[in-house]
Amino acid sequence: MTSEVLIIGGGVIGLSIARELHKLGAKRITIVEKGVCGEESSWAAAGMLGPQAEADSGGSFFDMTLASRDLYPDFAAELEAETGIDVGLDRSGTFYFAFSDEDVRALRERYEWQKKAGFPVELLTADEARRAEPFASPSVREALFFRGDWQVDNRKLLAALRKYAEINGIQIIKNTTVERLIVEGNQVVGVEVANGEIRGEQTVLATGAWTSLIKVGVADMPFKVEPVRGQIIAFHTAKQFFKHVVYTRRGYIVPRSDGRLLVGSTTEFVGFEKTTTAAAADLLREIAGEIAPSIGALSISDNWSGLRPFAADGLPVLGSIAGIEGLTIATAHYRNGILLAPLTARIVADRLIGGGDHPAFTAFGPDRFRFAVGSMS
Ligand code: FAD
Ligand code: GLY
């Protein structure tokens, strides 16, 4: 039977779109996943919901990250009611620490523009920062506190989204790689897999870092998505050293309620290579040690990597390609796919159900690369 909507890729983006479509009344939703849903980048992420802590300036992308962050309290509460899984939304806020002159300059810039634009941000002395986080290094010079920047346990979030799909009849076809889109005239009518075809009235590409490996059939995609490896190390401690997420210009730490402390991350253009390296572990340990010397001295309990989906300008790719009907792209969320999942899901599902186009489809549409230097066209 032809699906109403065929979603390719079962990461946080594909699973969230499937849920939102189901809530809007779509009946036959199918996810096609090359492995198992939720075991790629979305699993590897640190789960930070930090639009303000990460932003150098305002603009459409910043607005989108704020809007998605603001959807999280309802997203998390609804998922818990729907599935019984608490996704670990932690709203205790996020610090940003400065150590060097250059760090202090960058911190002050971030503070000034956000303060001027009316966003909640607090400038703290080193003593104030250490009172809030007693294990912080004595070398901290200044800090910002973003009370609206949070974290979520991304692995619990994926478990909840998978359970939603399971209990609501969303079909998941796993261990099945989509090789090509089937295009009849100018209409995408389904996908080609190793043992045949899967048909859909609408197709959504939520294939993360692998998006550009899929052949379209009639034309090249006007954009390219590349994998960018990010490695994380984790410490497991009986006592919780930190209460908040802490960013620096070099990395971050994310304390989890289960006693783990995550340290991230690298940014490596090494293709589809997911191995972890000793050099990255050393670098991440150094980042942890700068934030808190007592953490840098612990032994690593776990490490992993994931492939972030990156488009040439580092921004998401959302919407359709001119001249091709029945296809919606939702990819290239790069460093912010966990944060952007609720908003992406909402606007893609609205569009598919006929609710119209959100401005993000204009700002981040795939055709913006057609005339750009370095595009695929
Ligand atoms: P994925 O989770 O990679 O899912 C894509 C899915 O598509 C995969 O399951 C894949 O198997 C499937 N697929 C691909 N090709 C095919 C095909 N041809 N056929 C069938 N299935 C296919 N974001 C944040 O917001 N906050 C953070 O703190 C954060 N930290 C991060 C830390 C690290 C180390 C990394 C690596 C990423 C981090 N991110 C963070 C980024 C975030 O993980 C990504 O932006 C997000 O996971 C992208 O979601 P996705 O669903 O598009 O991709
Ligand atoms: N957003 C954190 C990371 O991508 O490492």
Side-chain angles (χ1 to χ4, degrees):
M1 197 200 301
T2 301
S3 285
E4 205 172 325
V5 185
L6 205 53
I7 298 169
I8 318 306
V12 75
I13 299 298
L15 287 166
S16 300
I17 292 170
R19 169 181 173 271
E20 200 65 37
L21 277 168
H22 177 265
K23 285 165 75 74
L24 290 178
K27 295 277 177 288
R28 287 168 285 111
I29 305 163
T30 300
I31 298 176
V32 186
E33 166 54 53
K34 71 175 171 56
V36 173
C37 286
E39 293 197 349
E40 290 291 354
S41 190
S42 305
W43 172 90
M48 296 176 296
L49 309 174
Q52 288 184 245
E54 289 196 6
D56 293 327
S57 59
S60 314
F61 180 69
F62 181 59
D63 293 346
M64 190 178 168
T65 58
L66 288 180
S68 200
R69 177 193 67 186
D70 293 344
L71 292 176
Y72 252 95
D74 285 349
F75 186 47
E78 286 171 15
L79 270 170
E80 185 168 4
E82 290 156 359
T83 66
I85 297 175
D86 172 358
V87 300
L89 178 64
D90 175 343
R91 297 173 66 177
S92 50
T94 292
F95 280 103
Y96 179 100
F97 285 176
F99 294 93
S100 65
D101 289 350
E102 185 51 27
D103 289 353
V104 170
R105 198 195 51 73
L107 178 151
R108 288 290 178 108
E109 249 176 46
R110 190 154 301 194
Y111 174 72
E112 295 301 339
W113 85 258
Q114 294 202 19
K115 194 79 193 161
K116 212 170 185 178
F119 297 109
V121 49
E122 290 153 55
L123 178 62
L124 306 183
T125 63
D127 282 349
E128 287 168 332
R130 276 195 300 273
R131 265 201 296 280
E133 289 293 3
F135 287 92
S137 163
S139 309
V140 173
R141 300 252 307 265
E142 275 185 0
L144 297 181
F145 183 61
F146 299 98
R147 60 181 63 251
D149 277 3
W150 310 319
Q151 64 153 309
V152 67
D153 186 325
N154 42 299
R155 295 184 188 170
K156 290 184 182 158
L157 175 64
L158 290 162
L161 289 167
R162 275 193 304 255
K163 183 151 181 205
Y164 185 96
E166 193 187 304
I167 58 189
N168 288 293
I170 294 169
Q171 187 190 15
I172 294 181
I173 305 177
K174 61 181 182 177
N175 299 320
T176 302
T177 301
V178 167
E179 289 162 7
R180 178 187 294 278
L181 302 182
I182 305 166
V183 188
E184 290 176 359
N186 67 346
Q187 179 83 28
V188 174
V189 294
V191 297
E192 220 174 87
V193 296
N195 58 358
E197 294 183 350
I198 306 171
R199 294 256 160 178
E201 289 161 21
Q202 293 284 338
T203 300
V204 178
L205 274 193
T207 34
W210 295 265
T211 304
S212 294
L213 300 183
I214 296 175
K215 297 179 187 73
V216 183
V218 282
D220 277 342
M221 302 242 197
F223 63 95
K224 188 169 190 303
V225 179
E226 271 186 86
V228 178
R229 184 170 68 185
Q231 301 190 47
I232 286 188
I233 58 170
F235 301 104
H236 200 119
T237 56
K239 139 201 205 135
Q240 203 176 355
F241 280 82
F242 274 75
K243 294 188 280 294
H244 306 87
V245 171
V246 179
Y247 279 93
T248 74
R249 286 173 62 234
R250 289 158 289 285
Y252 50 79
I253 61 168
V254 179
R256 285 275 155 79
S257 58
D258 60 8
R260 285 182 309 146
L261 188 117
L262 280 42
V263 185
S265 178
T266 58
T267 301
E268 303 166 87
F269 289 80
V270 290
F272 291 95
E273 180 58 66
K274 280 203 298 180
T275 46
T276 55
T277 62
D282 289 346
L283 174 75
L284 296 170
R285 180 190 284 289
E286 228 173 82
I287 288 167
E290 182 184 48
I291 295 171
S294 45
I295 290 172
L298 297 170
S299 52
I300 295 171
S301 62
D302 197 4
N303 67 331
W304 61 84
S305 82
L307 301 176
R308 304 177 184 95
F310 173 77
D313 56 6
L315 297 171
V317 180
L318 299 170
S320 53
I321 299 172
I324 303 182
E325 302 296 322
L327 176 68
T328 300
I329 315 280
T331 188
H333 292 80
Y334 190 35
R335 310 186 81 96
N336 289 288
I338 304 297
L339 169 62
L340 289 171
L343 187 72
T344 302
R346 182 164 292 184
I347 66 178
V348 168
D350 273 355
R351 176 177 211 267
L352 290 167
I353 295 295
D357 271 2
H358 188 274
F361 291 116
T362 309
F364 307 113
D367 288 319
R368 73 182 186 272
F369 294 101
R370 279 200 191 279
F371 306 106
V373 175
S375 76
M376 286 276 286
S377 57

